[in-house]
Amino acid sequence: MRVIVLGVPSSAGAYCVGVERAPAALREAGLIEALRAAGNEVVDAGDLTTRRWFPDHESPYAQNLNDEAAAMVELSAAAAERFAAGGRLLVLGGSCTVAFGMCAAMAQLEQTPRIVYIDRHFDLNTPSSTKEGSLSWMGVAHALALDTAAIELSNATGHAPVLHPSNLVYLGVDPAGAATDWERERVADLGLALVDQTALCGDPQAAARQARSRMTSGPFVVHLDVDVLDFLDAPIAENVNGRNSGPTIDQLECALLELLQAPDCWGMSIAQLDPAHAASDPTAIPRLVSAIAAALTTDER
């Protein structure tokens, strides 16, 4: 299998600096070597522009909006070029808006964007539904171009909406504990498909198969927000609220294997990994690297 690795070292849409260091941390943990050892032809395409979060007092409810839109546009162009080259694209974020960029890249190639969104959260808030101000918590809302989304981001590529509700499936979400009332209402209004945290932890491969079955057929990408993981098993996420709930890295690996080995899977984005938190367990990032490599193991060795 040909795997192209592309870094997006941006925390512009995050809560604070930190996640922009994730691409370097994953490489330092041996990601490229592990992918090659798994039998893949690996192309390290380097990193896109580094962008860091700063307190945006002029736009407190959509912080660093222009930077985040620029990052998404840059990624969508770069990802479209790599998708066209074939193989699997592995995007190392950064904040969760990398998923939006992957979908926008598919649209640029005149393919219908489809995504399995592995996350504890729905990311369906908009600048008017929450005062948090973090666009990383709003990526899906902007990909769907919800009415109160920031047009500067949702229509940054001129193709709003980039994503249709029928082509989005959540995997691993915690609807009761990690969603706002606004988000739960949007899920119901839009009829969004979800396979929840309990299912992912109970039988990861079956949950992944169920997620795929609930999406329209055709090429798709996967997005992984590492805060889906149990923070005590893998203290690597920017968001530290997922203690004692969520899958372990081993359970996640089983789900990723089911998804990334699918012939119509074009790749995966990873987001919200904070190396500063990961320092509390030096095994965590290497274990995640091993899980990703195992999910992309090829039989062509």
Side-chain angles (χ1 to χ4, degrees):
M1 187 185 302
R2 187 169 188 262
V3 179
I4 305 169
V5 178
L6 179 66
V8 185
S10 174
S11 58
Y15 290 91
C16 57
V17 295
V19 297
E20 79 281 357
R21 303 187 185 104
L26 287 162
R27 288 188 179 97
E28 289 168 6
L31 175 64
I32 305 301
E33 295 79 5
L35 290 170
R36 287 181 176 143
N40 299 294
E41 174 196 351
V42 182
V43 177
D44 189 345
D47 288 346
L48 301 181
T49 304
T50 298
R51 295 178 171 89
R52 293 181 177 85
W53 175 87
F54 63 88
D56 187 351
H57 300 290
E58 294 184 2
S59 181
Y61 301 141
Q63 295 194 37
N64 306 316
L65 176 58
N66 291 335
D67 278 351
E68 194 63 17
M72 195 278 294
V73 170
E74 183 182 28
L75 171 58
S76 64
E81 179 181 345
R82 272 72 182 189
F83 281 151
R88 298 286 192 280
L89 176 61
L90 184 58
V91 170
L92 314 177
S95 64
C96 271
T97 49
V98 291
F100 185 1
M102 294 277 274
C103 290
M106 295 184 75
Q108 285 189 36
L109 296 176
E110 299 184 350
Q111 290 285 342
T112 299
R114 301 174 181 85
I115 189 165
V116 176
Y117 203 84
I118 307 175
D119 198 336
R120 182 179 296 268
H121 305 91
F122 287 114
D123 293 351
L124 278 172
N125 277 295
T126 70
S128 67
S129 73
T130 176
K131 293 183 178 180
E132 294 285 348
S134 170
L135 288 166
S136 66
W137 202 25
M138 308 181 197
V140 177
H142 285 80
L144 294 170
L146 298 187
D147 288 344
T148 55
I151 191 69
E152 297 90 339
L153 180 57
S154 63
N155 196 38
T157 61
H159 295 96
V162 166
L163 185 64
H164 188 273
S166 65
N167 297 318
L168 163 68
V169 180
Y170 289 102
L171 177 58
V173 290
D174 177 12
T180 63
D181 289 341
W182 161 273
E183 290 177 300
R184 284 187 284 266
E185 290 170 4
R186 300 291 80 70
V187 169
D189 292 344
L190 296 169
L192 297 178
L194 65 93
V195 181
D196 68 14
Q197 183 184 95
T198 300
L200 178 57
C201 294
D203 189 336
Q205 283 190 287
R209 284 194 297 271
Q210 183 182 358
R212 283 191 62 205
S213 73
R214 299 192 66 182
M215 185 170 52
T216 61
S217 61
F220 71 95
V221 293
V222 177
H223 175 67
L224 170 63
D225 181 337
V226 298
D227 76 15
V228 74
L229 294 163
D230 181 346
F231 194 78
L232 293 188
D233 176 71
I236 60 178
E238 176 194 44
N239 185 332
V240 304
N241 293 328
R243 302 179 183 90
N244 299 307
S245 67
T248 64
I249 288 177
D250 286 344
Q251 290 171 322
L252 175 67
E253 178 183 320
C254 295
L256 292 181
L257 180 66
E258 183 71 26
L259 295 169
L260 298 184
Q261 289 290 328
D264 50 356
C265 178
W266 281 21
M268 180 174 76
S269 55
I270 304 170
Q272 303 303 119
L273 192 158
D274 187 344
H277 290 164
S280 62
D281 180 355
T283 74
I285 295 180
R287 284 189 287 122
L288 178 63
V289 162
S290 294
I292 294 168
L296 286 168
T297 296
T298 177
D299 294 329
E300 299 175 1
R301 285 180 287 177

